[in-house]
Amino acid sequence: MDTGNRVFAYYKYGVHRADVILERAGVLHRKKDVGTGAWSDFRPVGEKDNAFYELPLAEIAQNLEELNSAFREGAAEVTLGYGAHYHRYQRVAGSVAGKRDTAWIWVQRGVKFPLDVVACRDEVIGFIKTRREGCLILVRPGYEDMTPLGEWHRPGLSQAVHTVKHMGTFQVEMRDGVKLATEVYLPGDLLPGTKVPTILIRTPYGRTKFAEPELRFVFRGYAVVAQDCRGRGDSEGEWLPFVHELADGSDTLDWIAAQPWSNGKVGMIGGSYGGFVQWAAAGSGNPHLKAMVSLVTSGSPFGDLPRKGGTLMSGVLAWCFMVAEKHADPAAVKRDDWDKVLSYRPIKDIPFKALGKEIPFWSEWMRHPDYDRFWQAGDWRCHGDKINVPALIISGWYDDDGQGTSEAWEMVNKYRRGNQRLILGPWYHQANTTRDIHNIAFGDNAIRYDLDVLYLRWFDRFLKGIENEVEKEPRVQYYLVGADEWRNADAWPPAEVKLTKLYLRAGGKLSFTAPPTQERPDTYTFDPSAPAPHLIDVSENELSVPENYKEVEKRADVLTYTTEPLAEDVTIAGDLFACLYAASSAKDTDWVIRVTDVDDQGNSIRVSDGILRARYRHGFDCPKLLTPGQVEEYRLRLTRVGYVFKEGHRIRVQVTSGAQNLAFPNTNTGNDPATDTESVVANQTVLHEPDYPSHVELPLLS
């Protein structure tokens, strides 16, 4: 069979796992048995195989002929007949058959999960797709060095020379007798008496599904342990998100350390909830946890989710529906009736009315309106004095769990922990997977190909003791939107940042000059039955995207304050804050502050925002209702960002009280929001005068 240039090797996170033949009539493949290292015969790729590859193999095969004729040396951009658009990005050099050669990486634009192309002398020799976990690569045999695979050959890196032995499913007993379903994978050639470090994954989404990508570490001489969290999958116990993860994580670490194949050193990796369980385990102070790779981690319940700013987050319902049953159902996120679902009252009964059943953890959440012992049990920040683990921390500007990463970074800095690194990209919760998010197109360099190598280097250093100097590299790397460049720093925010006040002024002005005299306050009416929207698609399950608020700002219940056109670029890097002096006619209400970038067409693109329930103005642990009409000071923490407001653009601050889709609107009654079915209209007053200088604080980068 003469397959010519249609044969490609498939590398999953640096490990050669399969070969494919991209025939138009149908894709053929053979896979390497992880246990024996033997190759199967070629056979057609079936529907069930697609989850393993996570690449559009059939689409590539159908378009390979056009792809092979499209990427010419002299071109800067290419649009293919089936609509895919590419930019020429980066020249790479490598060895092919012992000779040096060069190729170009072409990056796909305008789509989620782009499929990048590597072309050598006008012929496609490779494809690259990134996931939060790392790089998936298809490459013509012999051309591996012309792709990011070359990174895997660096000196001192653990090499993929082992097979995988699945030791089976273990029911690991926790301190209270509950048993958690746990898979164990060891290097297949492990000699009796040999002890190895372990990579632990704890997840509510399915242990075997999340173990598969982490087999990359078994190939490289690590044990991998994957566990269903309490009440999830095949584990016993009650599913109460966040509550049991500190104790269960610590007990699991102890169990691993007691196994005959374990050297007692454990690293953890995972994203979102899989990040939260790491910080919870670290909060136990367990001595066996030696390294973490924390990706887009969830944070504290009132700082992050599900009670951001003390509100009840409606945007988290998609996630709640997905994990309503013991086995996660990603399809439950997709609905076309979210507007109806979010309108059901009382809020505590939404699962009954939308799904016809109770979600027990939702009901339990509803029984705790304030930051009490229940929420504290799921807040790893309460144990920050015990957290001392080398951590590689990764998130993005548009990550809806971004506050979790900020809390983690501040925690390790508060206690002066060593060996901490932070990477912040122009990403949403699905980190490192797109160069275009809604209304912002980032640079071609927005996606990185080196993260999975970095994960391994981190574990090699702190679990195997390999002196690869990963801890001596830049402590902070962040992406500056607008400049479209990666920058290094020794601290976050960078040391050269200065928090600078931008004042709300009369007439909708925004100024670096404080109001010198008393100015007439601004007022609006907040009706909980018709709140201003927070522009998201709930089914996307991404709550912090950079949408265009141009039309929202026309509403009477949204105040806007805007600078004059900027005379020069204004660059910010860090967390934004707001100080609002305001009064409400209600006993309780919400305040929403949003910072946007306004271009010469009037488009107003979200840069950062924050929300605060008024009763928590003195802290989440000391709720106090309002005295109607009394001026109060509200301090809001907004989301962090690295961003350049361009010369000629304007900076805008929005003030409102609703964020429909993000948070259930405050009823303004002061009653329990979970059970309240009544609401009152609130008259809101925002002040800006010498005694009440409402402002936002920008982390200006000199």
Side-chain angles (χ1 to χ4, degrees), residues 92-169:
V92 292
S95 296
V96 181
K99 297 180 179 180
R100 299 294 293 176
D101 206 341
T102 60
W104 279 98
I105 296 177
W106 294 74
V107 297
Q108 190 177 13
R109 299 305 311 241
V111 297
K112 287 184 179 180
F113 307 112
L115 182 69
D116 297 346
V117 169
V118 186
C120 180
R121 285 176 274 105
D122 301 337
E123 187 173 42
V124 171
I125 55 95
F127 299 90
I128 308 166
K129 184 178 180 182
T130 57
R131 306 288 292 174
R132 202 159 59 192
E133 295 80 8
C135 278
L136 309 171
I137 296 177
L138 274 181
V139 60
R140 292 258 304 277
Y143 287 88
E144 287 84 356
D145 203 34
M146 311 285 281
T147 73
L149 289 169
E151 284 288 308
W152 292 99
H153 300 310
R154 64 168 60 217
L157 199 67
S158 291
Q159 294 302 303
V161 296
H162 302 277
T163 56
V164 177
K165 184 177 181 180
H166 180 210
M167 302 299 290
T169 303

Side-chain angles (χ1 to χ4, degrees), residues 496-574:
E496 59 269 33
V497 158
K498 181 180 180 181
L499 279 177
T500 304
K501 295 178 180 179
L502 196 51
Y503 294 92
L504 281 56
R505 299 292 302 274
K509 295 181 180 180
L510 194 61
S511 173
F512 287 104
T513 303
T517 60
Q518 186 168 343
E519 297 180 344
R520 183 180 181 86
D522 295 311
T523 62
Y524 65 94
T525 299
F526 168 51
D527 183 352
S529 68
H534 182 80
L535 299 180
I536 57 173
D537 174 0
V538 177
S539 287
E540 188 183 24
N541 202 25
E542 294 281 356
L543 310 183
S544 299
V545 294
E547 270 293 358
N548 187 353
Y549 281 81
K550 180 179 180 179
E551 296 301 317
V552 173
E553 292 168 349
K554 296 177 181 179
R555 294 174 56 107
D557 58 354
V558 179
L559 302 179
T560 60
Y561 302 86
T562 312
T563 66
E564 295 296 324
L566 300 174
E568 59 184 7
D569 290 354
V570 172
T571 302
I572 60 176

Side-chain angles (χ1 to χ4, degrees), residues 311 524 526 532-534 549 557-559 578 580 589-595 608-613 636 638 653-660 662-663 684 686:
T311 66
Y524 65 94
F526 168 51
H534 182 80
Y549 281 81
D557 58 354
V558 179
L559 302 179
L580 186 71
T589 195
D590 290 344
W591 301 105
V592 179
I593 307 290
R594 187 176 293 113
V595 176
S608 175
D609 57 26
I611 188 169
L612 178 66
R613 183 142 292 186
L636 286 76
L638 313 187
V653 172
Q654 304 170 7
V655 180
T656 186
S657 294
Q660 180 70 7
L662 178 69
Q684 316 287 57
V686 174

Side-chain angles (χ1 to χ4, degrees), residues 397 402-407 409-410 422 424 492-494 497-500 572-578 595 608-609 636-642 696-700:
W397 307 137
Q403 186 60 28
T405 290
S406 291
E407 290 172 341
W409 185 250
E410 289 170 359
L422 180 66
L424 298 169
W492 181 262
V497 158
K498 181 180 180 181
L499 279 177
T500 304
I572 60 176
D575 294 87
L576 285 72
F577 299 88
V595 176
S608 175
D609 57 26
L636 286 76
R637 180 172 187 160
L638 313 187
T639 51
R640 58 163 193 267
V641 72
V696 295
E697 294 177 358
L698 299 182
L700 288 187

